[in-house]
Amino acid sequence: MVPLVMSIISILISMLWAGSVIGLTVLSSAQPPPLPGGTSLSLFTIQIFNYIFFTFFSYYVMVFLIASSAAIWYYQSRKSMLGSGIKWLFQAHIGSITFGALIITIIKMMQMMAKGQKSSNVVTQIFRAICICLLSQIERFVKVMNRFAVIIMSFTGEDFVTSCKSTGIIIFKNLGVFSIITIVSNFFYYSGLLLCTGIPTTIAGIVVSNIDIKDPTMPILLVFFSSLLITNIFLATFTETLTSVFVFYSLDLQLQEYGINIVNVPSDMQLLLEHAFDDSEDYR
């Protein structure tokens, strides 16, 4: 339900953004220009900033709601999953999620500025390439920290900075486990995406080729994007839930080091997680 709502919101935001960009393009090409010089470029930059920000903001909201629901299941609470998640989001964490989305948006804008600044000077080109490389690595690091920080704050109630600290401790103490999580979740996501969009699109192409249609492109594209949206809804829920459960289990292990023996995960999941941790120890 959460990925579906967030996907619809993202589509609406994209449509609104595309309409505003088209409007700015029309205004900037009008003669005489109705806006002062440089205003169209400034407004276009603001629109790009807004689009990147709302994209990451909606993604982190989705992660938070899925993680809070997974936490309620994992810790065997009788609270309403989605209702409690929405309450916690607007009551305590909307600012933290906004801050996390703002950080990654600023980094993305800096990347775009660095890529857009071209020069014939060799020293400037080298410096520009180094900046692009550094910003790219910073972006990857911040994305990982933001995602896991949102998962942790979904049930601990910690602020953004404290959740990032907890994220760093958990990840670096269980680096092998989180490597396995990333590989497994990415495998399921991309293989599922490929199969669940490729098969319907191929079937649609075969069916359309046997029907007398002037332009078969539109039906095929409709099937492709529909299957892509539906598949993404289920796969996003699965991968974020899987990641959240591993994070909660890592926190349980962390508590055990301090003498607090709390493991709430169901027995079947317990065996699966223990095998994953044993494999990560062998890997290290």
Side-chain angles (χ1 to χ4, degrees):
M1 183 64 183
V2 173
L4 174 61
V5 174
M6 299 313 300
S7 297
I8 294 173
I9 293 174
S10 298
I11 291 171
L12 292 175
I13 291 174
S14 300
M15 292 174 63
L16 180 62
W17 179 82
S20 62
V21 170
I22 292 172
L24 287 173
T25 304
V26 172
L27 287 175
S28 60
S29 59
Q31 294 296 333
L35 299 175
T39 305
S40 297
L41 179 61
S42 300
L43 292 174
F44 186 72
T45 304
I46 292 172
Q47 289 297 323
I48 294 176
F49 183 91
N50 290 337
Y51 179 75
I52 296 173
F53 172 79
F54 281 111
T55 299
F56 282 104
F57 179 81
S58 60
Y59 170 69
Y60 291 142
V61 168
M62 182 193 73
V63 172
F64 181 89
L65 294 176
I66 292 175
S68 60
S69 299
I72 291 171
W73 168 81
Y74 181 90
Y75 290 102
Q76 301 177 8
S77 174
R78 295 184 179 180
K79 295 181 178 179
S80 170
M81 289 187 178
L82 185 58
S84 298
I86 294 173
K87 178 183 176 182
W88 296 338
L89 173 66
F90 287 101
Q91 196 174 61
H93 297 294
I94 194 73
S96 297
I97 291 176
T98 302
F99 183 68
L102 183 62
I103 291 174
I104 195 68
T105 302
I106 292 173
I107 294 172
K108 293 289 289 184
M109 292 298 293
M110 292 174 66
Q111 277 185 311
M112 294 175 65
M113 290 172 62
K115 291 178 180 179
Q117 296 294 327
K118 296 182 180 180
S119 174
S120 58
N121 188 287
V122 177
V123 177
T124 305
Q125 289 180 353
I126 294 173
F127 180 75
R128 172 174 163 271
I130 293 173
C131 289
I132 293 172
C133 182
L134 288 175
L135 287 171
S136 177
Q137 297 306 313
I138 292 171
E139 179 196 1
R140 292 179 182 178
F141 176 77
V142 171
K143 280 183 177 178
V144 172
M145 294 297 290
N146 281 1
R147 182 189 179 197
F148 286 107
V150 169
I151 292 174
I152 289 175
M153 75 171 68
S154 68
F155 76 101
T156 61
E158 296 175 339
D159 57 51
F160 181 80
V161 176
T162 307
S163 297
C164 285
K165 292 178 182 178
S166 302
T167 298
I169 294 171
I170 292 172
I171 288 178
F172 290 114
K173 277 199 147 188
N174 305 284
L175 196 56
V177 177
F178 281 96
S179 299
I180 293 174
I181 295 171
T182 304
I183 293 171
V184 170
S185 61
N186 285 342
F187 172 78
F188 275 108
Y189 182 82
Y190 290 109
S191 60
L193 204 64
L194 180 64
L195 287 174
C196 296
T197 56
I199 293 175
T201 305
T202 303
I203 294 174
I206 295 172
V207 172
V208 169
S209 63
N210 295 321
I211 301 175
D212 187 16
I213 299 178
K214 292 182 179 180
D215 187 10
T217 306
M218 288 304 297
I220 294 174
L221 287 177
L222 180 62
V223 171
F224 173 76
F225 285 110
S226 299
S227 58
L228 181 65
L229 177 61
I230 295 171
T231 304
N232 186 64
I233 290 169
F234 288 100
L235 291 178
T237 304
F238 173 77
T239 54
E240 296 302 335
T241 303
L242 176 66
T243 304
S244 299
V245 169
F246 271 96
V247 170
F248 303 150
Y249 189 75
S250 299
L251 285 173
D252 277 350
L253 294 182
Q254 190 74 26
L255 290 174
Q256 289 178 29
E257 293 183 5
Y258 296 100
I260 304 173
N261 189 14
I262 301 176
V263 178
N264 299 290
V265 66
S267 57
D268 294 337
M269 186 66 71
Q270 171 80 14
L271 293 173
L272 176 63
L273 292 170
E274 286 178 353
H275 286 312
F277 271 81
D278 291 340
D279 292 341
S280 69
E281 290 295 332
D282 295 339
Y283 171 76
R284 285 189 286 179

